[in-house]
């Protein structure tokens, strides 16, 4: 047993509090902003199918592993990896996995906050009746004007980062748990409302056909990697967020049941958001595959064209802001827990300090859309480079290493005790993490780099 595990640590007040918080971490811009346009661009049902397989075969077992590691260690991800490695008699270098995770969280937070800032900007626009009569040219120039305006983007980026740091500074019970208990039910209610609206007044049939009709010709190694990266990103895996949330979990909660609930809710939200969005898009005769502009450029035209569009449009952006907020606090929490547990800094100070660091990097992201437009890293703009580096490289890499640690390094007796699964299911879980997860991730990497022939 690990010494001092959890003796004086803050904990979620109930199993539900944990499930809501972990779902809050998982459900974010990834589900509502990114998933629908990725599916739209990359082969509809074929993409959805690969995504679902990635969630079930790679995401769920890893989610269980991450939560398990956190709960056993009852510490922030860096110290968790250190004590778990010691317990397993393994190299102290495993601590580096925790450090990389914490840093990845801050990297993602930097551009996540900029994008969430756009949503705040559109929320204010919509609430003020700004969608009325928007045509395609006006919607396009509205978005370009925002992206060309560093001051306005900086303002919203700052507001969102403050919102995030304020909650994380409030601690587990008064910050994280309270925010998720308020925001998540509201998020579900808004999503259901928009879905019902889409079903009644939209083109739900065409939306379903578009999302689920499989076009396998569009499945390339790049698309497969993107689907896997998106599964990691969407379940908040590979960077310690689920680990730190697991570390606030009491011993009597079933990790397996909670993980299934979180993965299921995350997937359902992505699919329902896609259905709601495309129902509205088709009803207003708009282009479905509009890429990242789907939510900011295409949908506002539909909101401007419908009765009650100011209300529906504002609700939609409230949905996005709530989803982003409960995720951004999960991005800042691993680093904050690490610093708070290892220095004399109080939690509010640590979260302010780390929020400022992510904010500064976010300033570069803001500028990459205007003043620093020509600046590229590996041929990508700063924003795209950070997104690619984190979702397609750091998260899958963190995922493989967590799988290797949980299934090869950790003693079977320990993981079995934490997961409390029957012998067969436990064996399936362990074999999946030992072989399937690392192999899948390595294969997809090799394919992408061209070292393997295309497997389409
Ligand atoms: N899962 C979040 C989303 O889908 C993003 C996220 C990643 C949050 C990693 C926390 C940790 O938007």
């Amino acid at each position: 047993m690990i010494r001092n595990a959890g003796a004086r640590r803050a904990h979620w007040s109930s199993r539900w509090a944990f499930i809501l918080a972990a779902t809050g971490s998982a459900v974010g811009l990834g589900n509502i902003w990114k998933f629908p346009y990725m599916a739209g661009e990359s082969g509809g049902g074929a993409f959805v199918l690969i995504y679902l397989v990635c969630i079930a075969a790679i995401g769920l077992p890893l989610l269980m592993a991450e939560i398990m590691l956190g709960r056993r260690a009852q510490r922030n991800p860096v110290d968790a990896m250190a004590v778990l490695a010691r317990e397993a008699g393994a190299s102290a270098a495993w601590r580096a996995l925790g450090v990389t995770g914490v840093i990845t969280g801050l990297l993602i937070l930097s551009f996540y906050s900029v994008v969430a800032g756009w949503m705040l900007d559109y929320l204010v626009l919509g609430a003020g009746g700004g969608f009325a009569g928007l045509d395609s040219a006006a919607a396009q120039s509205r978005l370009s004007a925002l992206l060309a305006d560093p001051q306005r983007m900086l303002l919203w980026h700052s507001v969102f980062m403050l919102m995030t740091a304020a909650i994380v500074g409030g601690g587990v019970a008064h910050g994280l748990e309270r925010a998720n208990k308020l925001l998540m039910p509201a998020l579900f209610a808004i999503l259901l409302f928009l879905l019902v609206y889409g079903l009644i007044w939209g083109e739900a049939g065409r939306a379903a056909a578009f999302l689920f009709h499989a076009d396998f010709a569009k499945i390339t190694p790049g698309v497969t990697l993107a689907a896997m990266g998106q599964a990691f990103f969407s379940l908040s895996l590979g960077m310690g967020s689920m680990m730190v949330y697991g570390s606030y979990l009491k011993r009597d909660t079933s990790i397996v049941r909670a993980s299934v609930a979180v993965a299921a809710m995350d997937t359902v939200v992505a699919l329902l958001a896609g259905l709601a969005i495309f129902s509205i898009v088709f009803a207003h005769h708009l282009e479905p595959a509009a890429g990242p502009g789907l939510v900011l450029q295409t949908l506002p035209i539909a909101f401007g064209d419908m009765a009650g569009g100011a209300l529906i449009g504002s609700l939609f952006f409230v949905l996005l802001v709530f989803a982003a907020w409960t995720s951004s606090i999960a991005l800042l929490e691993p680093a904050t827990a690490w610093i708070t547990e290892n220095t004399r800094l109080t939690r509010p100070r640590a979260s302010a300090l780390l929020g400022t660091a992510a904010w500064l990097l976010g300033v570069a992201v803001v500028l990459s859309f205007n003043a620093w437009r020509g600046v590229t890293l590996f041929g990508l703009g700063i924003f795209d480079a950070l997104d690619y580096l984190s979702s397609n490289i750091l998260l899958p890499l963190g995922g493989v290493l967590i799988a290797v640690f949980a299934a090869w390094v950790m003693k079977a007796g320990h993981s079995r005790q934490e997961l409390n699964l029957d012998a067969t299911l436990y064996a399936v879980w362990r074999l999946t993490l030992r072989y399937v997860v690392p192999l899948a991730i390595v294969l997809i990497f090799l394919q992408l780099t061209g070292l393997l022939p295309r497997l389409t």
Side-chain angles (χ1 to χ4, degrees):
M1 210 45 224
I2 291 169
R3 244 180 336 124
N4 282 334
R8 281 173 42 225
R9 195 178 177 76
H11 286 100
W12 307 110
S13 68
S14 67
R15 181 165 78 99
W16 260 107
F18 168 71
I19 292 182
L20 275 188
T23 307
S25 166
V27 170
L29 295 173
N31 303 60
I32 303 170
W33 172 62
K34 217 169 167 195
F35 176 83
Y37 82 73
M38 284 182 94
E41 271 178 343
S42 315
F47 179 88
V48 174
L49 191 70
I50 296 185
Y51 178 77
L52 292 179
V53 170
C54 287
I55 291 279
I58 302 178
L60 181 60
L62 258 181
L63 180 61
M64 287 162 50
E66 255 198 58
I67 297 173
M68 183 233 350
L69 296 179
R71 187 178 72 179
R72 184 162 187 88
Q74 296 283 312
R75 282 167 174 80
N76 66 82
V78 179
D79 294 323
M81 288 317 298
V83 296
L84 292 168
R86 199 178 319 134
E87 185 190 45
S91 156
W94 280 102
R95 186 172 178 277
L97 177 57
V99 177
T100 316
V102 161
I103 294 172
T104 305
L106 296 178
L107 288 182
I108 298 180
L109 180 60
S110 71
F111 66 85
Y112 206 80
S113 167
V114 173
V115 176
W118 300 343
M119 307 306 165
L120 281 171
D121 185 77
Y122 271 70
L123 168 57
V124 171
L125 175 73
F131 294 146
L134 216 59
D135 61 13
S136 146
Q140 203 175 341
S141 61
R142 176 65 181 56
L143 181 58
S144 321
L146 173 63
L147 297 182
D149 186 344
Q151 267 123 12
R152 200 156 88 226
M153 272 209 273
L154 210 55
L155 168 73
W156 292 124
H157 166 50
S158 313
V159 169
F160 188 80
M161 197 59 90
L162 274 175
M163 287 162 57
T164 303
I167 301 288
V168 173
V172 177
H174 298 290
L176 308 185
E177 177 163 335
R178 202 191 303 164
N180 277 295
K181 275 189 169 160
L182 287 172
L183 296 173
M184 291 310 288
L187 182 148
F188 285 120
I190 298 174
L191 181 63
L192 276 185
F193 176 82
L194 292 173
L195 187 72
V196 169
Y197 176 91
L199 291 178
I200 298 178
W201 283 286
E203 293 265 1
R206 281 186 64 195
F210 177 72
L211 264 184
F212 300 119
H213 171 81
D215 180 0
F216 283 97
K218 290 210 176 130
I219 301 303
T220 59
V223 168
T224 313
L225 181 73
M228 190 186 66
Q230 172 65 8
F232 273 96
F233 187 80
S234 192
L235 285 181
S236 308
L237 293 174
M239 45 68 69
S241 171
M242 289 298 178
M243 209 186 282
V244 79
Y245 275 21
S247 76
Y248 303 129
L249 199 53
K250 292 184 194 146
R251 305 221 71 86
D252 53 3
T253 309
S254 159
I255 292 177
V256 177
R257 283 214 301 232
S259 306
V260 171
V262 172
M265 285 202 269
D266 183 62
T267 308
V268 166
V269 169
L271 294 175
L272 293 185
L275 277 179
I277 290 173
F278 288 120
S279 297
I280 295 174
V281 165
F282 284 124
H284 296 269
H285 313 291
L286 298 165
E287 180 55 45
L294 177 65
V295 158
L296 294 172
Q297 206 169 304
T298 311
L299 270 184
I301 307 174
F303 296 140
D305 189 39
M306 64 176 65
L311 176 71
I312 307 274
S314 311
L315 272 180
F316 179 77
F317 285 102
V318 172
L319 174 73
L320 273 164
V321 168
F322 282 9
W325 199 5
T326 55
S327 294
S328 63
I329 58 187
L331 286 164
L332 187 55
E333 177 60 24
T336 305
W338 180 34
I339 298 296
T340 312
E341 288 168 22
N342 286 285
T343 64
R344 306 239 304 267
L345 281 184
T346 59
R347 186 176 249 279
R349 293 225 168 126
S351 94
L353 192 77
L354 295 159
T356 307
W359 178 84
L360 273 174
L361 187 57
V363 174
V365 173
V366 164
L367 294 175
S368 77
F369 288 96
N370 34 71
W372 293 358
R373 233 193 145 128
V375 180
T376 56
L377 304 164
F378 309 106
L380 295 170
I382 297 174
F383 173 79
D384 291 324
L386 280 173
D387 184 18
Y388 191 90
L389 175 71
S390 48
S391 320
N392 291 1
I393 298 176
L394 291 173
L395 295 186
L397 207 64
V400 180
L401 291 174
I402 288 170
V404 167
F405 187 87
W408 289 96
V409 177
M410 194 170 177
K411 295 206 168 54
H414 292 160
S415 52
R416 174 112 196 247
Q417 177 195 6
E418 291 293 329
L419 292 175
N420 198 11
L421 276 172
D422 74 50
T424 322
L425 282 178
Y426 176 75
V428 172
W429 173 82
R430 197 143 185 265
L431 285 177
T432 311
L433 282 189
R434 284 194 141 193
Y435 301 103
V436 181
V437 172
L439 204 71
I441 296 176
V442 169
L443 269 183
I444 296 173
F445 267 125
L446 289 183
Q447 273 201 71
L448 187 81
T449 50
L451 294 175
L452 266 186
R454 276 177 63 156
L455 301 176
T456 47

